[in-house]
Amino acid sequence: MMSIKAFGIVSSPDNSVHVEGLQDYRPIGAFSFLGRFRVIDFPISNMSNSDINRIQVYVQSRPRSIAEHVGSGRHYNINSKRGKIQLLFSENSSSRSIYNNDISAYLENIDIIQRMHQEYVIIAPSYMVYKQDYRQLLETHVASGADITLLYHKVDNAREYFKNCHTLSLNRQKGVQSIGKNMGTAKDKNIFMETYCMKRDTFVQLVKAASWESSIYTLSDIVNIKCKDLDVRGYQHRGYFATLTSLNDYFNASLELLNYDIASDLFRAEWPIYTRTTDSCPTEYFESSKVTNSFVSNGCLIEGTVENSIIGRGVVIKKGAVIRNSIVLAYATVEEDIRIENAILDKWAHIIHAKEIIGEPDAPQYIKRQDTL
Amino acid sequence: MAQNEMLAMILAGGRGSRLKDLTTKVAKPAVFYGGKYRIIDFPLSNCANSGIDIVGVLTQYESVLLNSYVAQDGRWGLDSKDSGVYVLTPREKADEGLDVYRGTADAISQNIDFIDTYDPEYLLILSGDHIYKMNYAKMLEYHKAMNADATIAVRGVPMKEASRFGIMNTDGKGRIVEFEEKPAKPKSNLASMGIYIFTWKPLRKMLVEDMKNPNSNHDFGKDIIPKMLNDKKGLFAYEFKGYWKDVGTIDSLWEANMDLLDPKNPLSLNDSSWLIYTEDVSTLPQYIGNDAKIKCAYITQGVRVEGSVTNSVLFTGAVVEKGAKVIDSVLMPGVVVEEGATVTRALVAENVRIGAKARIGSKNSENIELVAKNVKGGTK
């Protein structure tokens, strides 16, 4: 693999983001996605496929699942000598504190950032799902002579979706005039994908400037302020894009991929999404199984009915059980004749006594990890 | 297990010619099995799970794919500091010139230098083309407890079939008193599984002598074991009771795949304490479409089913399009069954395309149909 002139940073969300239920157990990057992936597989695979072989992953709290999943990084196809995936923790103990933001994490590790050999940095979030060749982003950035290039996605449903996401105001030349928040006031918006391309030195200066001005400034805050002085430009992303900053977003983004055309656009043979194997065997479908329009992972035993759902690894669905429009995470068990609709079952949940678990399409019912119902 | 107490050597040079077109370009141990595995994943995973660190794989016939496959030892976790999987093909030697492996024992003899670098106490010899789960550490315990020179794993076969196997006759306490290859009138039903543990030093001595013997076939079954019995060495039978298959033919390979559809299947690949490891793939999970109908199937990641699948095993990346029917069949990786085609009692080889509306196989066929080439679409 050739390597490019940029290193990668996979960033953590700031503390305004909290996904009900799921995030109590792991950071968003470690959320299961489409059964066999975790969200963080997407930014890391994008970087690996873009020939970026030095990657820093920032972890704020509950690092176990991310540390276990990323491991040595070998499964992300990164050369184990030339390349490296580093997990960087912010030591700030109060993880929910307003001070514990991305800038404070970068500042704590600024010496490591400054020592990187690469001239450029690509920063991508661990809480969004999309496919992007960063070589193209970097090429455009360098050719334009801009100081900072930001990745954005044009949407026409910003009234209902992408609430609280950052937005970009662009001029005709794709110059970024400011970064704002989506308050759901208009349908057409340029959603900022929290993805940055700039020189490493520019990045270091921004981090220092942010902390100098205010200890609660985030990277997007300081870039917004610097829009006046620096040449900040937008780069439009096309294709599937999802933000996973609320339980509803997670639910909708997952089920949207049940449209196989959308899913096969995100997963292309020439752009593999790597993940850590768990060595589970194939899934067994029994005589009484009825499965339609669903993604099913390996290691499951299916006797019941599954419709429009995403089934994680090693899930057991007994006879007569019916799962509709739901996400069932790994190793959950649904006993006989139980009906589940519009729900998210977390890992190791065991549904025995509850006859029905019914949520609404716009308000999925969440069942806790290892809960027995 | 103490470091390098026991080294494993896997004999993986066989062609398996009765598997016909499946083995024209790959050796039998590399043949696919069970939705996501290759047969050699079984002995390799067994080694890893039994705590064996060093595994030599002896390849010969059409070994390009097999060599590169097993060299990625991280797949089986055999990539820690002191472990590894080493491919050992026949090589040119200073004093003898280039030579092929003349027999199972010769394959080991020609690699005595490799084994010597690890200086093991015991040598485990395995076959690369058997499907089973076995803890070799337990077999070694037995070998030590019996103070044996050699321990041979055996399994009970139906008495009426015993004349098809190499049969071990014991003294009732596990000591082997006689070995008969395919006896017309078998005296016991304990068949050799081709799995041996030898105490290395005495075996080494025998192998060196055997290499020089012009009348030897250089084979464990034909030469080494009979000679050891003749010399009154301590040979013991270790009885194995689990699932074991040597898939020699298309029918038996198909049958072994079908065994996985039985919920009580004794191979139990779901057992997290003894996983079988294999190549990792980057694909979507399996996608089951809107009109799909699946009854009794064993399906792995990357498969897409839009049609109907009954009583079948589908490997990575196989596709069953709308209106297509797959019944009592095995679809190997990358097989595409196009719209409206029907596949019955067939084993479809890797990356084969079955054209729209084509009809393959039949419900009452005597043998399983092997489809190794693309099939053009049908008209009906």
Side-chain angles (χ1 to χ4, degrees), chain A residues 232-255:
Chain A
V232 183
R233 303 204 192 179
Y235 181 94
Q236 191 180 349
H237 167 266
R238 289 167 212 276
Y240 177 88
F241 163 58
T243 61
L244 307 177
T245 47
S246 72
L247 198 65
N248 266 351
D249 282 356
Y250 173 75
F251 189 65
N252 292 331
S254 303
L255 296 190

Side-chain angles (χ1 to χ4, degrees), chain A residues 34-37 74-75 257-260 263-264 267 272-301 308 313, chain B residues 34-37 74-75 79 260-263 265 269-270 275-278 280-304 306 314:
Chain A
L34 216 56
R36 66 181 301 250
F37 301 95
R74 202 179 282 193
H75 47 287
L257 288 168
L258 288 175
N259 179 332
Y260 194 79
S264 48
F267 294 85
I273 305 300
Y274 305 105
T275 191
R276 184 179 198 80
T277 179
T278 58
D279 303 295
S280 37
C281 66
T283 278
E284 190 159 0
Y285 296 82
F286 294 88
E287 180 80 43
S288 53
S289 76
K290 270 189 199 157
V291 181
T292 50
N293 195 39
S294 295
F295 274 110
V296 181
S297 309
N298 272 9
C300 300
L301 300 172
N308 307 322
R313 288 183 176 110
Chain B
K36 63 181 287 201
Y37 309 97
R75 286 176 183 151
D79 59 342
L260 295 167
L261 296 173
D262 176 1
N265 135 55
L269 296 175
N270 229 341
L275 289 171
I276 302 302
Y277 313 111
T278 186
D280 188 18
V281 291
S282 301
T283 65
L284 278 164
Q286 45 202 284
Y287 174 73
I288 313 300
N290 263 317
D291 305 317
K293 287 198 181 91
I294 302 181
K295 298 251 171 287
C296 298
Y298 204 63
I299 300 182
T300 195
Q301 54 209 4
V303 166
R304 180 161 61 95
E306 308 268 7
L314 273 57

Side-chain angles (χ1 to χ4, degrees), chain B residues 95-112:
Chain B
D95 45 352
E96 299 141 86
L98 187 69
D99 216 338
V100 295
Y101 295 147
R102 295 168 295 178
T104 52
D106 190 49
I108 303 296
S109 304
Q110 290 200 38
N111 290 291
I112 285 177

Side-chain angles (χ1 to χ4, degrees), chain A residues 92-251:
Chain A
N92 198 327
S93 55
S94 46
S95 64
R96 301 293 298 270
S97 145
I98 53 165
Y99 296 110
N100 194 11
N101 62 15
D102 54 353
I103 292 290
S104 81
Y106 300 141
L107 206 57
E108 275 182 55
N109 297 289
I110 201 84
D111 55 325
I112 300 176
I113 293 168
Q114 279 173 319
R115 274 201 301 270
M116 299 299 279
H117 295 297
Q118 291 79 3
E119 191 182 351
Y120 293 91
V121 59
I122 305 275
I123 303 168
S126 60
Y127 44 96
M128 292 184 180
V129 174
Y130 63 83
K131 184 180 91 206
Q132 173 67 46
D133 188 338
Y134 294 129
R135 288 171 300 199
Q136 288 170 6
L137 175 64
L138 180 65
E139 247 172 61
T140 308
H141 171 77
V142 173
S144 73
D147 296 305
I148 304 170
T149 303
L150 307 177
L151 194 65
Y152 70 93
H153 194 93
K154 243 183 149 105
V155 304
D156 59 6
N157 54 359
R159 267 193 224 278
E160 305 86 33
Y161 299 102
F162 303 104
K163 292 271 172 63
N164 289 320
C165 284
H166 285 119
T167 56
L168 301 184
S169 316
L170 298 170
N171 64 22
R172 279 166 193 278
Q173 290 74 40
K174 294 211 168 165
V176 177
Q177 292 169 313
S178 66
I179 301 176
K181 266 227 157 140
N182 176 28
M183 310 305 265
T185 49
K187 70 181 179 58
D188 293 309
K189 286 280 178 190
N190 299 315
I191 303 297
F192 175 36
M193 296 165 75
E194 310 286 336
T195 302
Y196 307 77
C197 176
M198 64 185 102
K199 282 201 163 141
R200 182 196 59 220
D201 294 344
T202 311
F203 176 55
V204 170
Q205 282 160 18
L206 285 173
V207 169
K208 288 181 176 166
S211 70
W212 178 257
E213 293 210 18
S214 162
S215 4
I216 60 167
Y217 270 179
T218 61
L219 185 59
S220 60
D221 289 335
I222 193 71
V223 171
N224 178 38
I225 291 168
K226 296 284 180 187
C227 277
K228 294 179 207 74
D229 315 324
L230 296 177
D231 183 357
V232 183
R233 303 204 192 179
Y235 181 94
Q236 191 180 349
H237 167 266
R238 289 167 212 276
Y240 177 88
F241 163 58
T243 61
L244 307 177
T245 47
S246 72
L247 198 65
N248 266 351
D249 282 356
Y250 173 75
F251 189 65

Side-chain angles (χ1 to χ4, degrees), chain B residues 309-345:
Chain B
V309 174
T310 312
N311 230 20
S312 296
V313 177
L314 273 57
F315 286 66
T316 313
V319 176
V320 179
E321 293 185 354
K322 259 194 189 139
K325 285 189 184 135
V326 176
I327 305 151
D328 300 332
S329 294
V330 174
L331 306 185
M332 291 200 163
V335 167
V336 177
V337 182
E338 292 182 3
E339 282 194 24
T342 305
V343 178
T344 314
R345 277 177 66 77

